[in-house]
Amino acid sequence: MRILYLHQHYSGPAGATATRSHALAHALAARGHHVTLACGRYEGAVTGLAGAFRGGRREGLVRGLRIVEFDIGCGNAQGLGGRGLSFGRYAARAAHLALGGRWDLVVASSTPLTVVLPALLARRLRGTPFLYEMRDPWPELPRALGGVPGWALSGMERLADAACRQAAAVVALSEGMAETALGRGAAAQRVHVVPNGCDLDLFGPQVAPWRPAEVAPWEVLAVYAGAHGRANGLDSLLEAAALLRAGGERRIRILLVGEGGEKPRLRAQAAERGLHNVTFLPAMPKRKLASLLAGAQLGVQCLAPVPEFAEWTAPNKLMDYLAAGLPVVANLSGRAARLLAEGPCGIATPPGDAAAMAQALRWMADNPALRQVMGRSARDQAVRRWDRRLLASQFAGIVEEAAAPAATLEALAAA
């Protein structure tokens, strides 16, 4: 089959951001399908392409995958207007690609939700079926976070309804997301859950450990690796650090790795409050992150105290921690809390409760033997339940099923 995979924020493993689309696209290529992946220039992403952009794009074959990269920048530090413009420009370029080729299926992977526009156009004008991959439910999450104009939310409502109702298949990253797709009119037999998975080759006990020079050998290193945006609620983590310091706790260092619009303010706040137990580092390639996690004692998962996050999020960083064999301290309820309870492989504290997070971090420092047991349980869960290769195979099967009716009709027409 000829598959057009649309993901504006795509990155290969050399980048510092999520690589789910990389794994899923390669799983499709390994099954003999011809995959073209179209993306933009996302902050921290590395596509594997080199050379100058010509006519606003560059393309090439990277490890069996045809990649088309548009010269359209996007990142967490951009404001709402800048991101909106980036989303619109990508949708326009991707629509030209979707309508200009003969595709058996289009995969539209959000966010942003505007990625479904080219897929909807190709379905209407060319009869091309599409699969809608819901990484985050929009407009549900933007509405919950606030700050998005009503007209934009209204437009998202109509677009999300159309995507769920017209897609040949909807793939959601959690059961909660799948329920939103059903609520928007998706047929139950077309909705599937394929969660984020663990890269067991990249992360794990086989990786040589590394610790930054700022971290003392005797310190318990707790790593948060991810975006520094409003949705991540990192003020709560700084408050936990302040409580630990005020209580005389000197064994724990909190390391925040990543970029985002909130990072300058968070760094200034940490310096102003004298939080010498907090260190900031820029986003780093996944392979270096794997070494950092191998040298750490804890993974930290943090989100803003938004009730909708409980079932509507599937953080890939949590999968990285589990694959690395790290026990996790999280401030989430719902799906993530249930996941950590299995084993158990971590502690879930109430959302927004900095004191509880500080107490959980201190417990981890007080109980090194139990912490190691949790770490082994984390790796065991990663191997048993979240192996990305198995999940990628499941995704490929859904893609093939979604494209089957159109492929049958084309074969009959050619006969």
Side-chain angles (χ1 to χ4, degrees):
M1 291 194 304
R2 297 160 304 230
I3 299 171
L4 176 60
Y5 200 131
L6 304 177
H7 183 207
Q8 186 169 353
H9 303 337
Y10 166 80
S11 178
T17 187
T19 56
R20 174 183 171 94
S21 288
H22 175 83
L24 300 185
H26 275 279
L28 290 167
R31 290 165 79 126
H33 302 303
H34 301 282
V35 182
T36 295
L37 196 147
C39 62
R41 287 190 298 104
Y42 189 58
E43 180 185 42
V46 175
T47 63
L49 296 177
F53 288 89
R54 299 183 184 277
R57 63 184 272 177
R58 60 183 178 183
E59 64 179 274
L61 204 62
V62 181
R63 293 179 56 195
L65 200 66
R66 180 190 173 213
I67 296 179
V68 177
E69 181 180 2
F70 298 118
D71 190 13
I72 301 170
C74 190
N76 290 322
Q78 284 180 310
L80 185 63
R83 283 195 303 256
L85 180 61
S86 171
F87 299 162
R89 290 178 60 207
Y90 173 82
R93 295 300 300 268
H96 181 76
L97 188 61
L99 295 173
R102 296 186 61 189
W103 311 105
D104 295 299
L105 182 87
V106 175
V107 175
S109 181
S110 75
T111 54
L113 182 58
T114 43
V115 75
V116 303
L117 284 169
L120 288 166
L121 281 171
R123 181 184 183 276
R124 180 168 183 173
L125 300 179
R126 300 291 299 271
T128 309
F130 73 93
L131 180 149
Y132 170 37
E133 185 185 29
M134 185 190 296
R135 290 168 173 257
D136 293 302
W138 281 31
E140 287 84 358
L141 283 188
R143 180 184 291 113
L145 277 170
V148 180
W151 61 266
L153 292 172
S154 178
M156 289 183 206
E157 289 280 358
R158 291 193 291 272
L159 194 53
D161 286 347
C164 290
R165 291 170 184 170
Q166 297 184 37
V170 177
V171 170
L173 269 66
S174 73
E175 290 76 10
M177 292 187 213
E179 288 177 7
T180 69
L182 293 171
R184 292 192 173 279
Q189 69 272 20
R190 295 182 178 179
V191 178
H192 311 267
V193 177
V194 181
N196 272 324
C198 294
D199 190 332
L200 301 177
D201 295 323
L202 182 60
F203 297 94
Q206 75 279 6
V207 178
W210 169 78
R211 286 161 71 95
E214 302 92 328
V215 182
W218 47 266
E219 286 182 309
V220 174
L221 179 58
V223 175
Y224 168 87
H228 293 42
R230 195 162 55 96
N232 304 104
L234 293 174
D235 287 284
S236 184
L237 188 52
L238 292 191
E239 183 60 30
L243 291 171
L244 289 171
R245 188 161 181 81
E249 177 60 72
R250 296 293 185 269
R251 296 170 296 172
I252 302 168
R253 175 162 300 277
I254 298 172
L255 179 62
L256 290 88
V257 182
E259 301 295 340
E262 292 287 288
K263 185 167 184 175
R265 183 187 64 79
L266 292 165
R267 292 190 67 151
Q269 185 181 115
E272 181 180 340
R273 300 179 69 176
L275 300 181
H276 304 301
N277 54 346
V278 176
T279 298
F280 291 85
L281 287 180
M284 58 182 63
K286 284 282 188 178
R287 295 193 185 283
K288 188 166 186 179
L289 176 63
S291 293
L292 173 63
L293 296 186
Q297 282 71 51
L298 296 171
V300 177
Q301 174 65 51
C302 192
L303 282 173
V306 177
E308 289 79 0
F309 283 163
E311 303 296 342
W312 289 352
T313 57
N316 62 78
K317 63 180 73 67
L318 185 54
M319 294 292 106
D320 293 346
Y321 300 152
L322 297 183
L326 285 180
V328 180
V329 171
N331 68 345
L332 297 174
S333 57
R335 180 178 181 273
R338 294 191 298 271
L339 188 152
L340 295 181
E342 183 181 326
C345 56
I347 300 173
T349 65
D353 190 337
M357 180 168 273
Q359 183 178 357
L361 291 168
R362 185 180 289 110
W363 186 94
M364 289 287 190
D366 287 339
N367 296 276
L370 291 175
R371 188 176 71 223
Q372 290 174 7
V373 170
M374 283 187 172
R376 288 192 292 271
S377 294
R379 177 69 184 187
D380 178 65
Q381 185 181 152
V383 172
R384 286 187 296 103
R385 295 186 59 190
W386 311 116
D387 187 337
R388 179 183 277 181
R389 292 166 296 192
L390 299 178
L391 296 171
S393 178
Q394 180 186 350
F395 178 84
I398 296 167
V399 167
E400 290 164 352
E401 182 181 346
T408 300
L409 287 174
E410 185 174 327
L412 290 172

